[in-house]
Amino acid sequence: SEITAAPEKLFKVIIIGDPTVGKTSFVQRYVENSYKRDYKGTVGVDFALKVVKWSETRTAKLQLWDIAGQERFTWMTRVYYKDSHGCVIMFDLTNRNSFINSLKWKRDVDSKCRLPDGSPIPCMLLANKCDLQHRQVDQMEIEELYKEHNFIGWTETSAKEGIMVDDSMK
Ligand code: GDP
Ligand code: MG
């Protein structure tokens, strides 16, 4: 009998945020379900592929672009953002500055990239390292940023403990 190929779509998702917030750890947790304490600082961009099974017959491929945090405001980000379908903006709950900079990342994406229909790239806001004590950002502030700047959602995550990693990407 003939097997019909399942419809499969490829989506490009960019992962951005300041250096050391946990982007590479998050991608590794999501794709490999692994965690190492030290990843070499990403240079430029790393790629990972995640196949998501929606149902018996439907899968989607997510091409994840793990972009080095130093790149913000350089001409390179425009190249990296091009043709993306979704975006994750990550900060570290124990690093206030990384939270403040989330807005700069959002503005950078919005100013350089749109979906084909002209609407902004859907952006999730992820508050990583929720396993740690000594937070420098409280939930009210995150809620406010999320609402006022048109993120599609936000949640706390821990790449280390594997908290809300799959759920946030869903
Ligand atoms: P990137 O520069 O944003 O890619 O950050 P990395 O993934 O390289 O992580 C930077 C540091 O933060 C590393 O020492 C990681 O082990 C640590 N880290 C990443 N995610 C978490 C987390 O969820 N919890 C804790 N406690 N540490 C994390
Ligand atoms: Mg990295």
Side-chain angles (χ1 to χ4, degrees), residues 15-28 35-42 46 66-70 90 92 94 127-133 157-163 165:
I15 323 287
I16 56 181
D18 279 5
T20 78
V21 298
K23 299 179 298 297
T24 300
S25 302
F26 181 86
V27 168
Q28 291 307 308
Y35 180 81
K36 284 192 290 186
R37 215 173 34 194
D38 283 300
Y39 291 102
K40 278 194 207 132
T42 308
D46 282 339
D66 171 12
I67 293 169
Q70 308 87 300
M90 181 175 286
D92 170 353
T94 68
N128 194 41
K129 307 197 187 182
C130 70
D131 58 284
L132 294 179
Q133 310 288 315
T157 60
S158 169
K160 184 179 179 194
E161 305 296 339
I163 298 168
V165 173

Side-chain angles (χ1 to χ4, degrees), residues 33-99:
N33 197 22
S34 66
Y35 180 81
K36 284 192 290 186
R37 215 173 34 194
D38 283 300
Y39 291 102
K40 278 194 207 132
T42 308
V43 177
V45 59
D46 282 339
F47 301 98
L49 190 75
K50 172 85 172 180
V51 180
V52 183
K53 201 167 188 290
W54 291 115
S55 68
E56 282 309 311
T57 54
R58 292 179 65 215
T59 57
K61 279 186 178 166
L62 299 186
Q63 185 183 63
L64 305 170
W65 291 51
D66 171 12
I67 293 169
Q70 308 87 300
E71 306 283 349
R72 183 159 48 91
F73 306 137
T74 72
W75 64 276
M76 277 308 287
T77 57
R78 187 184 299 277
V79 177
Y80 296 146
Y81 299 165
K82 192 172 183 301
D83 298 328
S84 51
H85 301 93
C87 170
V88 169
I89 296 181
M90 181 175 286
F91 66 93
D92 170 353
L93 279 163
T94 68
N95 174 348
R96 184 157 190 86
N97 218 35
S98 73
F99 172 70

